[in-house]
Amino acid sequence: MKINTFEEYKAAYKKSVETPELFWAEVAENFTWQKKWDRVLDWDFEEPNTKWFLNAKFNITENAIDRHLPEKANKTAFIWEPNAVEANQRVITYQNLHDEVCKVANTLKLLGVKKGDRVCIYMPMIPETVFAMLACARIGAVHSVVFAGFSSSALAGRIQDSDCKVVLTTDGAYRGVKDIPIKAVVDEAIETCSSVEKVLVYKHTNTAITINKAKDVIWQEVVPNASSTCEPELMDSEDVLFILYTSGSTGKPKGVVHTCGGYMVYTTYTFNNVFQIDTTKDSKDLFWCTADVGWITGHSYIAYGPLLAGASSVIFEGVPTFPDAGRFWKVIDKHQVTHFYTAPTAIRALEAAGSGFVTPYKLDSLKVIGSVGEPINEEAWHWYNNNIGKGKCPLVDTWWQTETGGILISALAGVTPTKPSFATLPLPGIQPLLVDDKGNEIFGNNVEGNLCIKFPWPSIIRTTYGDHKRCKEAYFSTYKGLYFTGDGCRRDENGFYRITGRVDDVMNVSGHRIGTAEVESAINMHADVVESAVVAYPHDIKGQGIYAYIIAPSTTKNHDNLRKEILAEVTKIIGPIAKPDKIQIVSGLPKTRSGKIMRRILRKVAEGELTSLGDTSTLLDPSVVDEIIAGRL
Ligand code: WT7
């Protein structure tokens, strides 16, 4: 299933389009199934209804762990690099991984978790977090990992939406110089979550915690005593593997649902082909994806993809700038990382810190470097390519989404061509197309439009948890018969794709996906705020920054204090990642006569594009635009 040459890529792509079922059935043959599928694919983008490998039975952890044991029991599955430079690293072999996952799985059973139950994981970047995910998968429970930077109220909303029965967490977390309370956030969250019966707490920082005798169980008191064997639950290909909440253009975050079979096949296939890692027993190849497991990148390319492929990888607890902006490069040299996968925002921040943080390190172990999460600008692409890849490592710019489960458009390292700031070509099985606003396909090259996909791939979103209609409306209704990505895209003269950014009301701040509506509703919780409108604007480091316009006519506070309170409100409702960078206090917002906010104008002002505001004559009160321009931050 590994593609080795550009010719092989072309042949695989052709086959995947002409005979997709045959193509994916051959890929799926490489896994351990207790029972093979009756049919490869059943699909309908109207409903939508997508099923892959119908009626196949297996367990994903048997494929990610057990099947490697005969050969690779002593191979490193993970090297854990702690936040503090002087703290001890941990090495987890595939045998260790097996034992730990089984112990946690048996503990979950003891806590009453059964197949199909939802389990929330709110934990920092430690190996136990991955054990927890795999333990759920082992017993057929559905994990819902929530990024440990989200606030208690954001956590509560996610726990409630899927009625999680158990929450797995830690006492605290280290992030750079900070020692962050984690359990306290869970305590506050579950006050409003009646579904939660037990909280399993891994003691990591030894921060003081409050114990609720009825619910709390300390990990170290039960997990080590549990048996290290646990028969994998037999799962159907279309049983739910996990839920992961992500932001859309409207309303509260939606629970993206991925199922077992297709997700396993696609994450493994893409991991192997995009990164081209040698996963043989004695290979020294070492993969490092710097994402947090709280995001899809961490799910697919820390927890599942590398393990399913039998690779070795790094889990890093800390942040790129602690103790200084050379930490990533130090870790690469220390562990001899060969394949490094990070986000453009980190690259830009580390570039801005100065080359003095890079030059002390050799970085000569690197073979492949990758980018994910947001468009990578040419400047950052070249800096990354020259200073980190030293001009000799293929740079793969991987485009995909929470909803796609795995990478859809990317170069295959060293196999297919790269081009600065272009994700380049679709992976086998992916049939992208560009459409205009009316949904007409834009043919040919050197064109730009909205990016859609016309045929299912194995790890496509199945539904949004508890609300299938929302899934249909968000992804399958804008353009009939197509999956709409929400991204704008250009196809160059050679047919290479360049993703230009979201065309909906979704922002991408430091690679974090945040809905404008979510931030607005958090801001509106402040008693003095009557109305608000949030837009994104270009930001040198973060890619996009958050610009909030607020109306607070009766506030008695001075504006700086009001701004501080609003930032605190957003931190409380969502988390610090959603804090606006700029808050402009205005007396009105540009609205149409029907009362719709003209965001286009607000975006232009935030971007500083003051000469191209377009037609403002249809506004209810065109004079507010002058005021907004005059008060621009
Ligand atoms: C959105 C999805 C993919 C996992 C991490 C983010 C943007 C992602 C790229 C890229 C340009 C990219 C898109 C996409 N995006 N990767 N290589 N080039 N844009 O997952 O939180 O679901 O966000 O991130 O706008 O729609 P996510």
Side-chain angles (χ1 to χ4, degrees), residues 244-247 256 291 295-298 300-301 341 344 371-376 396-407 409-410 421-423 451 483 485-488 498-504 506-508 511-514:
L244 183 57
Y245 287 86
T246 191
S247 298
V256 171
W295 312 113
I296 192 69
T297 310
S300 302
Y301 301 108
Y341 190 33
S371 170
V372 60
E374 43 170 329
I376 179 164
V396 290
D397 174 5
T398 65
W399 173 83
W400 57 297
Q401 311 177 296
T402 304
E403 295 85 348
T404 70
I407 298 165
I409 303 183
S410 170
S421 82
F422 279 73
L451 180 62
Y483 168 79
T485 64
D487 280 316
R498 174 192 191 146
I499 285 67
T500 48
R502 303 288 303 199
V503 293
D504 53 10
V506 169
M507 301 178 287
N508 194 325
H512 300 145
R513 183 164 157 185
I514 303 167

Side-chain angles (χ1 to χ4, degrees), residues 453-474:
I453 319 280
K454 66 174 114 176
F455 195 85
W457 60 97
S459 62
I460 187 174
I461 180 175
R462 298 301 197 267
T463 187
T464 45
Y465 192 82
D467 190 353
H468 192 64
K469 197 162 145 262
R470 198 163 172 209
C471 174
K472 179 183 170 116
E473 280 166 7

